[in-house]
């Protein structure tokens, strides 16, 4: 079971927090920052260039279209995390997936 954890931080609004170890979770960070070592913090970087408009609004594209994000083809479950969140642990994720179930209708 593959879980995709996705966040987006465009416009440098939030600091980038490190992610604890996360076996079985593909963590993707959409950003327009080129100066931060996101990969060293446990995230997979996907660069986004904000051509025009509000970067906060552009970040919502990934939230609303999470099933179309990088790595979506390999994911069985999608979790959105606001970029301002700092995780101490991701140990809750397997329990969450079990609670939801494979049909996605239990919670």
């Amino acid at each position: 079971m593959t879980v995709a954890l996705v966040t987006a931080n465009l416009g440098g609004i939030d600091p980038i927090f490190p992610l604890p170890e996360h076996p079985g979770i593909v963590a993707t960070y959409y950003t327009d920052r080129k100066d931060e070592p996101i990969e060293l913090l446990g995230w997979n970087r996907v660069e986004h260039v904000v051509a025009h408009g509000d970067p906060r609004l552009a970040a919502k594209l990934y939230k609303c279209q999470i099933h179309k994000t990088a790595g979506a083809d390999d994911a069985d479950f999608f979790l959105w995390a606001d970029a301002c969140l700092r995780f101490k642990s991701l140990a809750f994720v397997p329990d969450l997936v079990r609670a939801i179930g494979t049909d996605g209708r239990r919670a």
Side-chain angles (χ1 to χ4, degrees):
M1 194 77 42
T2 302
V3 177
L5 174 63
V6 181
T7 193
N9 183 9
L10 305 178
I13 295 165
D14 296 305
I16 299 171
F17 296 115
L19 199 60
E21 289 199 32
H22 49 280
I25 299 172
V26 177
T28 304
Y29 199 107
Y30 285 89
T31 183
D32 51 0
R33 294 183 186 184
K34 297 180 185 345
D35 59 338
E36 302 247 8
I38 294 169
E39 294 83 2
L40 298 177
L41 299 175
W43 294 95
N44 298 312
R45 174 199 306 263
V46 178
E47 288 193 23
H48 174 90
V49 178
V50 180
H52 61 283
D54 182 1
R56 293 178 76 156
L57 188 57
K60 292 188 186 309
L61 168 71
Y62 301 108
K63 182 177 182 179
C64 295
Q65 299 286 318
I66 195 169
H67 61 287
K68 295 182 180 180
T69 57
D73 294 341
D74 299 326
D76 299 302
F77 287 88
F78 298 92
L79 297 176
W80 174 263
D82 195 88
C84 70
L85 294 177
R86 177 180 281 179
F87 290 100
K88 292 184 177 184
S89 170
L90 291 173
F92 70 92
V93 172
D95 292 334
L96 178 65
V97 169
R98 268 191 302 281
I100 294 171
T102 56
D103 63 1
R105 296 182 184 174
R106 292 180 290 165

